[in-house]
Amino acid sequence: MTTERREPAYLYSERDAADRSEIARRFIETRKGLNTIVDAADNYLLKRFYNIDHNTYLEGAIPAKYKELMGLVVSAGLRCDDCINYHIIQSFRLGATRQEQEESLNVALVVGGSIVIPHLRRAYALLAELYPQSP
Amino acid sequence: MTTERREPAYLYSERDAADRSEIARRFIETRKGLNTIVDAADNYLLKRFYNIDHNTYLEGAIPAKYKELMGLVVSAGLRCDDCINYHIIQSFRLGATRQEQEESLNVALVVGGSIVIPHLRRAYALLAELYPQSP
Amino acid sequence: MTTERREPAYLYSERDAADRSEIARRFIETRKGLNTIVDAADNYLLKRFYNIDHNTYLEGAIPAKYKELMGLVVSAGLRCDDCINYHIIQSFRLGATRQEQEESLNVALVVGGSIVIPHLRRAYALLAELYPQSP
Amino acid sequence: MTTERREPAYLYSERDAADRSEIARRFIETRKGLNTIVDAADNYLLKRFYNIDHNTYLEGAIPAKYKELMGLVVSAGLRCDDCINYHIIQSFRLGATRQEQEESLNVALVVGGSIVIPHLRRAYALLAELYPQSP
Amino acid sequence: MTTERREPAYLYSERDAADRSEIARRFIETRKGLNTIVDAADNYLLKRFYNIDHNTYLEGAIPAKYKELMGLVVSAGLRCDDCINYHIIQSFRLGATRQEQEESLNVALVVGGSIVIPHLRRAYALLAELYPQSP
Amino acid sequence: MTTERREPAYLYSERDAADRSEIARRFIETRKGLNTIVDAADNYLLKRFYNIDHNTYLEGAIPAKYKELMGLVVSAGLRCDDCINYHIIQSFRLGATRQEQEESLNVALVVGGSIVIPHLRRAYALLAELYPQSP
């Protein structure tokens, strides 16, 4: 039973995120550079994995925004800075408020414990740039 | 900036979950027995941790249902069967559909990889009991 | 650049493993029972993930036997008993000797440390049943 | 610079722990049974690893009791029930009080988060049997 | 049953550590900068978590020095460089000798395996600066 | 039962790898610098661990090349960049083709999930430098 299949409607582009945040800009640029190298390898199974990965976060029974925030929670719980940056930016692009981002990070903190804190600090630095009006 | 504070309105009790599912019943009973032992210890910091844990999943900017599903995603990503059972039951009690539960587990699977699969199998056994009409 | 695509030629069936080892028999049976429940759910992305998973271990530039032993190493390193059982049985079916299985487990032990030992103990119990003539 | 080398003086034997606690008794017995199987394999590197493991917890600059409690903290942080049981019993044998065991578990809880809680519950069940007079 | 509550008596300040070690200085400074950003967010649950975290390492049945070394062991076992730096500095401030720090790292190494080694290398670089007279 | 004991015959030196790849060169240099600091400490148990670690990857029932690729798989599954770099370079030195390296990384990806991807990207950057003729 699966219906996840519609592309979400982004409120902001990656470029919008990069314009607001230097941390986002450098992350997006570095990832793009490395993805070019990965794409050149043209690895069949890797491309299929990327495709499943993409489909997992589409609009479905759960709105895409919450799926990206779920991705943020598990990324923080598993302590992957690049993944945290990615899902914060994706959630931002889908209209998540700063408060929603922080509540998601709180779930990761309580589940994953204080070893999550160094990642949380860096996540808050990105949030501060993406949401400059929020305290 | 935090507003998570209202107790969520459960559609079902733990008892309802236990009545539908033998897996749920045994999990709830075992946990209750062990919690009695933990409570007897009356450990101050442990009780404070439980309190933060409780507050993290309250209604806030993010609805409690999605927070419980987030708890499910990170629990599956970190491969904790008891935590998976707990959050599936909590999500069920807050009205999550089987499809929402499965989409959450898909996020955990793609993020956490095939080592999540043994836990997913057991999670699906619980889902099959809690949602008997769903395929 | 990927060529992994040929099904490996198994020397033994799952049934052969189950006939030799009670641990294998119970593992295979439990997994089959749970897989029936998972299959009934007919989750699209989960099925696609299973498909990539299957393709990853096919004959390729690296012989299937070594890929299964790699699966064993990473499963032991990540401490997943079901995954360890699965890859030990698969490696056995593809003709891996007991010595090859032990050398693989040694890589997992040195990389993953003493927390791997409880899983190693259970792995050795399975090996002792699958390879009764080996010391 | 290393001086860890003296065997610690145990206040209690494994038998004493087993006599006090059914959980301890079953754990010790199961481990002994599996170790017999592992020993039969006579794997050279595994035996060397066991030897380093043994030496790591000897009396040194840090008293053996605190080393065992450290082993408990990291075992709980990495969520390994067998390792938790082992180090609780070892710490008990070296005279650790229940309070010292609980404070160690608190470090694991705050560092490792709520996913540690299911393991903590089982740890408290063992503590309750080993220290029956302590609340 | 919990008595952890007294603030420990530090032999050295963070400033002392920073004066001895360039690695410590940069770590402390970066953390301070990020903490300012986190503090500005004024997240209620995060602040409560920080408070429990602080209380966990106070003097209690276990001396604060050993609790910080426990924090070091579990941080190394969970492979968190920032946490390792933090607990090495805290242990140093509470009078831990270099030998005690190394014995703690040995517990983490044997429990966590060779994947801990890259973190150990960086930890030894910090130790070499904090304890210049020790070989 | 263990026969791992012969030193493998390397096709390339570390210097060859460093000459081909700037990423390899910087990794090897940094590691050498830190190892000098670790060696100066002359920690007995650490040296013994290094010795077991060395012996684990020697020629045995499993060829050294496949053991290094196993080390790569578990390092990627456990998400340790330094370990990934190390085992890619070792596998390269033992004659592993790019395709064998990619198939190994595919095992790690499917077992470990999308959180492995950031490490895979960096691994592919190293592969692109070590194997310039391969696409």
Side-chain angles (χ1 to χ4, degrees):
Chain A
M1 178 177 59
T2 312
T3 61
E4 308 109 303
R5 295 312 255 290
R6 278 161 293 115
E7 290 287 335
Y10 289 102
L11 301 183
Y12 301 104
S13 66
E14 281 208 330
R15 179 65 184 271
D16 293 330
D19 283 350
R20 287 190 180 213
S21 161
E22 176 60 15
I23 296 171
R25 195 189 61 68
R26 254 177 297 148
F27 166 71
I28 289 166
E29 197 172 273
T30 303
R31 188 167 56 101
K32 185 183 290 180
L34 290 170
N35 271 346
T36 304
I37 294 170
V38 173
D39 290 348
D42 199 30
N43 185 293
Y44 174 67
L45 286 175
L46 184 52
K47 283 190 298 181
R48 286 193 55 191
F49 193 97
Y50 271 55
N51 190 272
I52 288 189
D53 187 51
H54 175 78
N55 276 276
T56 302
Y57 297 95
L58 295 183
E59 295 288 347
I62 297 174
K65 182 184 78 176
Y66 289 120
K67 286 186 178 174
E68 292 293 347
L69 290 172
M70 284 171 169
L72 172 57
V73 174
V74 66
S75 296
L78 287 161
R79 298 184 288 135
C80 169
D81 279 328
D82 280 359
C83 316
I84 291 170
N85 284 341
Y86 177 76
H87 289 293
I88 284 179
I89 292 168
Q90 286 290 99
S91 302
F92 164 80
R93 294 179 56 201
L94 289 164
T97 64
R98 172 159 186 171
Q99 207 171 342
E100 289 171 324
Q101 303 251 23
E102 287 192 21
E103 289 189 12
S104 301
L105 290 171
N106 280 345
V107 174
L109 173 64
V110 84
V111 172
S114 68
I115 45 161
V116 173
I117 290 176
H119 306 272
L120 231 65
R121 286 195 190 100
R122 294 187 279 271
Y124 271 75
L126 173 54
L127 291 179
E129 293 184 358
L130 287 175
Y131 300 90
Q133 330 64 337
S134 298
Chain B
M1 178 178 60
T2 312
T3 62
E4 309 107 306
R5 296 311 256 287
R6 277 161 294 116
E7 290 287 335
Y10 289 102
L11 300 184
Y12 301 105
S13 65
E14 282 208 330
R15 178 65 184 270
D16 292 330
D19 284 348
R20 288 189 180 215
S21 161
E22 176 60 16
I23 296 171
R25 195 190 60 69
R26 253 177 298 148
F27 166 72
I28 290 166
E29 197 172 273
T30 303
R31 189 167 54 102
K32 185 184 290 181
L34 290 170
N35 271 346
T36 305
I37 293 170
V38 173
D39 290 349
D42 198 31
N43 186 292
Y44 173 69
L45 285 175
L46 184 52
K47 284 189 298 181
R48 286 193 55 192
F49 193 97
Y50 271 55
N51 190 271
I52 288 189
D53 187 51
H54 175 77
N55 276 276
T56 302
Y57 296 96
L58 296 183
E59 296 288 348
I62 296 175
K65 181 184 79 176
Y66 289 120
K67 286 186 178 174
E68 291 292 347
L69 290 171
M70 285 172 168
L72 172 57
V73 174
V74 68
S75 295
L78 287 161
R79 298 185 288 136
C80 169
D81 280 328
D82 280 359
C83 316
I84 291 170
N85 284 341
Y86 177 77
H87 289 293
I88 284 180
I89 292 168
Q90 287 291 98
S91 301
F92 164 79
R93 293 179 56 200
L94 290 164
T97 64
R98 173 159 183 170
Q99 207 169 343
E100 289 171 325
Q101 302 251 23
E102 287 192 21
E103 290 189 12
S104 300
L105 290 171
N106 280 345
V107 173
L109 173 64
V110 84
V111 172
S114 68
I115 45 160
V116 173
I117 291 177
H119 306 272
L120 232 66
R121 287 196 189 99
R122 293 187 279 271
Y124 270 74
L126 173 54
L127 291 179
E129 293 184 356
L130 287 176
Y131 301 89
Q133 325 70 331
S134 298
Chain C
M1 178 178 60
T2 312
T3 60
E4 327 79 323
R5 298 311 257 286
R6 277 163 292 115
E7 289 287 335
Y10 289 102
L11 300 184
Y12 300 105
S13 65
E14 281 208 331
R15 178 65 184 272
D16 293 329
D19 283 348
R20 288 188 180 216
S21 160
E22 175 62 13
I23 296 171
R25 195 190 60 68
R26 253 177 300 147
F27 167 72
I28 290 166
E29 196 172 276
T30 304
R31 189 167 54 103
K32 185 183 290 180
L34 290 171
N35 271 346
T36 305
I37 294 170
V38 173
D39 290 348
D42 198 30
N43 186 292
Y44 173 69
L45 285 175
L46 184 52
K47 285 190 297 180
R48 287 193 55 190
F49 193 98
Y50 271 55
N51 190 272
I52 288 189
D53 187 52
H54 175 78
N55 276 275
T56 301
Y57 296 97
L58 295 183
E59 295 289 347
I62 296 174
K65 181 184 79 175
Y66 289 120
K67 285 186 179 174
E68 291 292 348
L69 291 171
M70 285 171 168
L72 172 58
V73 174
V74 66
S75 295
L78 287 162
R79 298 185 287 136
C80 169
D81 279 328
D82 280 359
C83 316
I84 291 170
N85 284 341
Y86 176 77
H87 288 293
I88 284 180
I89 292 169
Q90 286 291 98
S91 301
F92 164 79
R93 293 180 55 200
L94 289 165
T97 64
R98 174 161 182 167
Q99 206 169 344
E100 289 172 323
Q101 302 251 24
E102 286 192 21
E103 289 189 12
S104 301
L105 290 170
N106 280 345
V107 174
L109 173 64
V110 83
V111 172
S114 68
I115 46 161
V116 173
I117 290 177
H119 306 272
L120 233 66
R121 288 196 189 98
R122 293 187 280 271
Y124 270 74
L126 173 55
L127 290 179
E129 293 184 357
L130 287 175
Y131 302 88
Q133 325 73 328
S134 298
Chain D
M1 178 179 59
T2 313
T3 62
E4 307 108 305
R5 295 313 255 289
R6 278 163 292 115
E7 290 286 336
Y10 289 102
L11 301 183
Y12 301 104
S13 65
E14 281 208 331
R15 178 66 184 271
D16 292 330
D19 283 349
R20 288 189 180 215
S21 161
E22 175 62 14
I23 296 171
R25 196 189 61 68
R26 254 177 298 147
F27 166 72
I28 289 167
E29 196 171 275
T30 302
R31 190 167 55 101
K32 184 183 291 179
L34 290 170
N35 271 346
T36 304
I37 294 170
V38 173
D39 290 348
D42 198 31
N43 186 292
Y44 173 69
L45 286 174
L46 184 53
K47 284 190 298 182
R48 287 192 54 190
F49 193 97
Y50 270 54
N51 191 271
I52 288 188
D53 187 51
H54 175 78
N55 277 276
T56 302
Y57 297 96
L58 296 183
E59 295 288 347
I62 295 174
K65 181 184 78 176
Y66 289 121
K67 285 186 178 174
E68 292 293 347
L69 290 172
M70 285 172 168
L72 172 57
V73 174
V74 67
S75 296
L78 287 162
R79 298 184 288 136
C80 169
D81 279 328
D82 280 359
C83 316
I84 291 170
N85 284 340
Y86 177 76
H87 289 293
I88 284 180
I89 292 168
Q90 287 291 98
S91 302
F92 164 79
R93 293 180 56 200
L94 289 165
T97 63
R98 173 159 185 171
Q99 206 170 343
E100 289 172 323
Q101 302 252 22
E102 287 192 22
E103 289 188 13
S104 301
L105 291 170
N106 280 346
V107 173
L109 173 64
V110 84
V111 172
S114 68
I115 46 161
V116 173
I117 290 176
H119 306 272
L120 232 67
R121 286 195 190 100
R122 293 187 279 271
Y124 270 74
L126 173 55
L127 290 178
E129 293 185 356
L130 287 175
Y131 301 90
Q133 332 61 338
S134 298
Chain E
M1 176 179 62
T2 312
T3 61
E4 311 105 305
R5 297 310 256 288
R6 277 163 291 116
E7 289 288 335
Y10 290 102
L11 301 183
Y12 301 104
S13 65
E14 282 207 329
R15 178 65 184 272
D16 292 329
D19 283 348
R20 288 188 180 216
S21 161
E22 176 60 15
I23 296 170
R25 196 190 60 68
R26 254 177 298 146
F27 167 72
I28 290 166
E29 197 172 274
T30 303
R31 189 168 55 103
K32 185 183 290 180
L34 290 170
N35 271 346
T36 305
I37 294 171
V38 173
D39 290 348
D42 198 30
N43 186 292
Y44 173 69
L45 286 175
L46 184 53
K47 284 189 297 181
R48 286 192 56 192
F49 193 98
Y50 271 55
N51 190 272
I52 288 189
D53 187 52
H54 175 78
N55 277 276
T56 302
Y57 297 96
L58 295 184
E59 295 288 348
I62 296 175
K65 181 185 78 176
Y66 290 120
K67 287 186 178 175
E68 291 293 347
L69 290 171
M70 286 172 168
L72 173 57
V73 174
V74 66
S75 296
L78 288 161
R79 297 185 288 135
C80 170
D81 279 328
D82 279 0
C83 316
I84 291 170
N85 284 341
Y86 176 77
H87 288 293
I88 284 180
I89 292 169
Q90 286 291 98
S91 302
F92 164 80
R93 294 179 56 201
L94 290 165
T97 64
R98 173 160 183 170
Q99 207 170 341
E100 289 171 324
Q101 302 252 22
E102 286 191 22
E103 290 188 12
S104 301
L105 290 171
N106 280 345
V107 173
L109 173 64
V110 84
V111 171
S114 69
I115 46 161
V116 172
I117 290 177
H119 305 273
L120 232 65
R121 287 196 190 99
R122 293 187 280 272
Y124 270 75
L126 173 55
L127 290 179
E129 293 185 357
L130 287 176
Y131 301 89
Q133 329 63 337
S134 298
Chain F
M1 179 178 58
T2 312
T3 61
E4 308 107 307
R5 296 312 257 286
R6 278 162 294 115
E7 289 287 335
Y10 289 102
L11 301 184
Y12 301 105
S13 65
E14 282 209 330
R15 178 64 183 272
D16 292 329
D19 284 348
R20 287 189 180 215
S21 161
E22 175 61 13
I23 296 171
R25 195 189 61 69
R26 252 176 300 146
F27 167 72
I28 290 166
E29 197 172 275
T30 303
R31 190 168 54 103
K32 184 183 292 179
L34 290 170
N35 271 346
T36 305
I37 294 170
V38 173
D39 290 348
D42 198 31
N43 185 294
Y44 173 68
L45 286 175
L46 184 52
K47 284 191 296 181
R48 287 193 55 192
F49 193 98
Y50 271 55
N51 191 272
I52 289 188
D53 187 51
H54 175 78
N55 277 276
T56 302
Y57 296 96
L58 295 183
E59 295 288 348
I62 296 174
K65 182 184 78 175
Y66 289 120
K67 285 187 178 174
E68 291 293 347
L69 290 171
M70 285 171 168
L72 172 57
V73 174
V74 66
S75 296
L78 287 162
R79 298 184 288 135
C80 170
D81 280 328
D82 280 358
C83 315
I84 291 170
N85 284 340
Y86 177 76
H87 289 293
I88 284 180
I89 291 169
Q90 286 291 99
S91 301
F92 164 79
R93 293 180 56 201
L94 290 165
T97 64
R98 173 157 184 172
Q99 207 169 342
E100 289 171 325
Q101 302 251 24
E102 286 191 22
E103 289 189 12
S104 301
L105 290 171
N106 280 345
V107 174
L109 173 64
V110 82
V111 171
S114 69
I115 47 162
V116 173
I117 290 177
H119 305 273
L120 233 66
R121 286 194 190 100
R122 293 187 279 271
Y124 270 75
L126 173 54
L127 291 179
E129 293 185 356
L130 287 176
Y131 301 90
Q133 329 64 335
S134 298

